[in-house]
Amino acid sequence: MGEHETLLRLKNAIIEGLSEDATYLIKQALDEQIKPKRILNEAIISGAEEVGKKYENGEFFLADMLLAADAINDSMDLVKSKLEEGTHYSQGKLLIGTPEGDIHDIGKTLIVALLQGQGFDVIDLGVDVPPEKFLDMAKKENPDIIGLSGLLTVTISKMTEIVSLLKREGIKAKIILGGGILSEESCEHIGADAWTKDGWEGVKLIKELMGVV
Amino acid sequence: MPHDWEASTRRIRATFAGLSDIDRVPFFPLACEELICRISGKTLRELLSSPKAYANAAIATYEFIKADTLSIPTAYAGPAEALAFAEVNNKENVIKWSDYKVFMVKQGDICKSEEDIERLEIPDHSKISLWDTCLSATNLVKEKTRFQQSCSLGIWSVVQELRGVQAYRDMRRNPELLLKLCEKVYQSQLDLYNFFIEKVGASRTIFFTGYAFNKHMMSFEDAMKYEGQFIKQLQKETKARIILHNCGTNPYFDEMCNELELLAVNGSHPLDIEYWVEFKKNHPEVTILGANIDVSRELLNGTTRDVEKIVKENIKKLAPGGRYAVSPICCLPWGVSLNNIMTIPKAIKKWGTYPLNFES
């Protein structure tokens, strides 16, 4: 099989969310001496972009996005370890969590998978996270972006508390909010830099905030 | 002046029936556990300590905000059902209680594995103390106010609580397994419905939370497969009319009205009021409870003038011809000022009294 065909099959496996096929093809591509950076750009990132386009066109839904994200992450794990020494591929560092009082995590799980697939280093604090933990981890990890994800309307007041604590303590990271409960007005009220109501839109916004579009 | 629940009943009935003999547009808020705790000053555990305590606090809350509807919240058909499943499957540790808001379930912990789904026991609601309290309280509310009560159900909201994000992987990788879970949840919902009839009496309407019907979550075909077909079955078995609640940001309201026989839709998105004007034209038999009064906008961040303005706009555009009730979506969170909440009934009285007049 030629290099082009291997990369194309890998890209298609990612789009279709076939993790096992994707990891098999990554190994094959590496055996064929295709450079890891080429695998990354021409198959994985290109596949991820195609997945995003299909979602925007209404061809793909949450289930397809999630499976594609799984395939992307499995592939990334294999390729990252083969990148040339000293090459640290990262689009930025993001700290994310669901604020205290809310333990929903479907939206957060999806965006974490999508961001990792796009080359971000993501620190997932989990659910029901108190404001102080966001602050401690922000100080320790110095992320570029902090994401607060929530499903319930009751989470809005906790988001406000967290954002004001982070700002008061001088945290410079941009803050993005995620969840169907949000609006332009509530984002402004809470004092965040951006908001999103779905995972893929969130990825695009984060890339914009990072200047990596 | 004491709250006149008889008048509220007449308003709601006439609105659903599209009749013109109505004094004003009804106010149809969703007072969840958090608002009842806030108004009553009691913790959720205190409310759940007896049906009387819960019923009195719920009545006091709905009367305080001058609502035309009244119910005992049952955790939007998600956590409370997950709690029932957790209890009968010996997984109570996945429930997290809070003082002044609804308890929650760690999503996906009850049905972590395929085996969990295969072995999942369906709850007998009469043996679940929480449900016994909630439905006994519902019956007390009905007895005290004579206000008709609706049973509150849902399928996908419960599936998400039980299976978590894995449900979306199952949708493509193991649809049969996912359908098996949906079927079990449906059986549980039927058991709940029958327990409701036993405790409260016949439910002519079902308030159904249809969370599958969101455009960014799944295709309409999948939403019908994993939730819609069960709504159809439910309608066939119970003969009850469905009020469909969806507080998501991209709901399939139009498509659902074409596929299912709905009494009313309860949602706030899309936020463009013209969508709702068009919806009313296209589905004249379906009552709109909501339109674009979203709790995260004017109510949370605006002034009383902003709230009055949006209530007026909704009434002006949607109340002529009836089949419309003002309903902020969704639950009213702690951060919303009571002044803003109380502006809604004031604005309804001012702008929603028939014959409608928008001149003053």
Side-chain angles (χ1 to χ4, degrees):
Chain A
M1 199 188 306
E3 289 185 3
H4 179 72
E5 201 187 334
T6 304
L7 291 174
L8 190 65
R9 284 181 61 193
L10 174 57
K11 181 178 166 181
N12 287 336
I14 281 166
I15 294 168
E16 286 168 35
L18 302 168
S19 258
E20 282 179 17
D21 290 10
T23 49
Y24 170 82
L25 286 160
I26 293 262
K27 284 172 192 158
Q28 185 175 318
L30 291 168
D31 285 347
E32 287 174 16
Q33 307 294 316
I34 302 175
K35 287 199 167 147
K37 204 165 177 188
R38 208 177 145 205
I39 299 173
L40 188 69
N41 290 328
E42 291 180 32
I44 303 177
I45 293 176
S46 165
E49 279 165 4
E50 190 66 33
V51 169
K53 274 185 207 154
K54 283 181 180 285
Y55 179 72
E56 282 172 352
N57 295 338
E59 287 173 64
F60 270 18
F61 295 91
L62 215 152
D64 311 292
M65 295 279 278
L66 194 62
L67 290 172
D70 289 345
I72 290 165
N73 288 330
D74 290 347
S75 305
M76 287 290 266
D77 285 347
L78 287 172
V79 173
K80 263 185 185 174
S81 62
K82 302 286 178 193
L83 284 170
E84 284 166 41
E85 215 169 300
T87 312
H88 178 65
Y89 173 76
S90 175
Q91 303 267 43
K93 191 193 269 188
L94 185 119
L95 188 68
I96 192 168
T98 301
E100 191 173 31
D102 194 344
I103 58 175
H104 292 90
D105 76 346
I106 292 176
K108 179 173 67 58
T109 305
L110 177 75
I111 200 162
V112 167
L114 291 172
L115 285 166
Q116 285 170 338
Q118 293 282 318
F120 283 86
D121 288 330
V122 184
I123 302 153
D124 185 356
L125 301 179
V127 296
D128 200 20
V129 184
E132 300 72 30
K133 189 163 182 193
F134 275 102
L135 178 63
D136 291 347
M137 290 301 286
K139 282 180 175 170
K140 189 179 161 201
E141 297 289 343
N142 195 23
D144 302 295
I145 289 176
I146 297 173
L148 309 179
S149 163
L151 176 75
L152 304 174
T153 45
V154 299
T155 315
I156 290 178
S157 52
K158 194 54 82 175
M159 285 179 169
T160 312
E161 194 184 327
I162 294 167
V163 173
S164 88
L165 175 70
L166 294 172
K167 292 201 166 169
R168 207 165 55 234
E169 293 288 327
I171 300 298
K172 299 281 182 235
K174 297 248 171 63
I175 301 172
I176 182 167
L177 312 174
I181 48 169
L182 300 159
S183 64
E184 189 63 46
E185 291 92 335
S186 57
C187 174
E188 201 177 306
H189 172 81
I190 293 166
D193 296 289
W195 70 284
T196 175
K197 57 183 189 297
D198 79 60
W200 180 246
E201 189 187 81
V203 171
K204 289 201 324 188
L205 261 173
I206 287 166
K207 287 172 91 172
E208 267 173 39
L209 288 173
M210 292 295 300
V212 292
V213 182
Chain B
M1 200 200 291
H3 196 101
D4 186 352
W5 284 109
E6 233 181 87
S8 292
T9 300
R10 280 197 302 274
R11 272 174 216 126
I12 295 283
R13 280 194 184 152
T15 297
F16 283 144
L19 300 175
S20 54
D21 58 336
I22 181 171
D23 59 342
R24 65 162 169 79
V25 174
F27 178 29
F28 194 99
L30 301 174
C32 295
E33 293 82 348
E34 186 168 320
L35 190 68
I36 298 176
C37 288
R38 185 180 175 190
I39 302 291
S40 69
K42 290 182 163 57
T43 64
L44 184 59
R45 283 184 191 275
E46 280 178 288
L47 295 178
L48 290 170
S49 64
S50 80
K52 196 176 162 190
Y54 208 178
N56 286 342
I59 293 170
T61 302
Y62 278 95
E63 290 189 350
F64 180 81
I65 61 172
K66 300 186 188 308
D68 286 307
T69 185
L70 168 63
S71 62
I72 293 289
T74 46
Y76 57 92
E81 258 304 75
L83 180 141
F85 273 103
E87 274 195 24
V88 294
N89 290 281
N90 301 314
K91 293 191 176 180
E92 290 99 322
N93 59 331
V94 303
I95 310 291
K96 182 182 160 50
W97 285 82
S98 296
D99 286 341
Y100 294 99
K101 61 184 172 195
V102 70
F103 51 86
M104 278 178 250
V105 178
K106 286 182 194 160
Q107 289 186 312
D109 275 16
I110 295 175
C111 290
K112 224 173 212 169
S113 67
E114 291 185 19
E115 215 180 12
D116 289 335
I117 296 176
E118 299 288 351
R119 288 194 312 216
L120 190 71
E121 293 286 333
I122 295 164
D124 172 351
H125 290 79
S126 67
K127 291 181 180 153
I128 307 287
S129 136
L130 175 113
W131 276 107
D132 189 55
T133 304
C134 286
L135 295 189
S136 298
T138 303
N139 189 46
L140 279 177
V141 163
K142 186 184 164 190
E143 280 178 6
K144 286 186 176 199
T145 63
R146 304 266 160 225
F147 191 81
Q148 194 67 37
Q149 295 296 296
S150 294
C151 184
S152 194
L153 303 174
I155 300 286
W156 193 251
S157 53
V158 183
V159 169
Q160 285 196 133
E161 299 289 61
L162 301 180
R163 187 72 167 145
V165 75
Q166 195 59 36
Y168 292 92
R169 291 190 176 98
D170 295 337
M171 204 174 279
R172 295 288 180 267
R173 294 289 176 257
N174 205 343
E176 262 96 65
L177 181 78
L178 185 57
L179 269 176
K180 191 175 274 183
L181 179 58
C182 293
E183 179 62 42
K184 286 193 175 192
V185 172
Y186 176 68
Q187 291 306 328
S188 170
Q189 296 293 278
L190 275 185
D191 181 76
L192 173 56
Y193 179 78
N194 290 329
F195 188 44
F196 183 97
I197 291 174
E198 189 189 315
K199 297 289 279 191
V200 188
S203 177
R204 290 183 206 137
T205 52
I206 291 173
F207 190 84
F208 194 96
T209 299
Y211 280 167
F213 290 92
N214 277 306
K215 289 178 188 170
H216 64 272
M217 280 165 57
M218 59 182 96
S219 67
F220 185 69
E221 291 70 30
D222 279 337
M224 282 304 294
K225 185 173 170 184
Y226 297 108
E227 184 149 57
Q229 64 157 319
F230 297 104
I231 299 177
K232 281 188 172 178
Q233 276 184 50
L234 194 66
Q235 278 182 314
K236 209 171 158 187
E237 283 206 41
T238 65
K239 309 278 181 258
R241 307 206 58 197
I242 305 284
I243 298 172
L244 203 126
H245 168 81
N246 189 318
C247 56
T249 51
N250 218 344
Y252 284 109
F253 281 135
D254 274 305
E255 293 86 342
M256 290 163 85
C257 287
N258 295 332
E259 191 68 36
L260 303 162
E261 207 179 300
L262 300 178
L263 174 65
V265 290
N266 180 227
S268 63
H269 284 82
L271 292 169
D272 180 2
I273 191 73
E274 293 309 322
Y275 165 84
W276 291 101
V277 172
E278 203 56 31
F279 180 94
K280 194 176 167 84
K281 270 190 217 155
N282 295 336
H283 309 285
E285 301 300 312
V286 179
T287 298
I288 298 169
L289 308 171
N292 71 348
I293 306 171
D294 190 272
V295 294
S296 76
R297 299 169 78 215
E298 291 81 1
L299 276 162
L300 184 68
N301 313 308
T303 63
T304 52
R305 285 184 68 175
D306 298 324
V307 175
E308 182 180 338
K309 194 177 159 200
I310 189 114
V311 172
K312 182 184 173 186
E313 185 192 40
N314 273 252
I315 291 173
K316 195 174 178 181
K317 298 268 187 178
L318 301 167
R323 288 213 166 94
Y324 170 70
V326 173
S327 176
I329 305 294
C330 177
C331 298
L332 295 155
W334 206 281
V336 171
S337 88
L338 283 177
N339 247 347
N340 279 358
I341 296 174
M342 298 312 294
T343 297
I344 301 175
K346 281 184 201 157
I348 293 174
K349 197 172 173 190
K350 186 172 170 186
W351 302 109
T353 299
Y354 288 102
L356 301 173
N357 178 4
F358 302 102
E359 296 308 313
S360 54

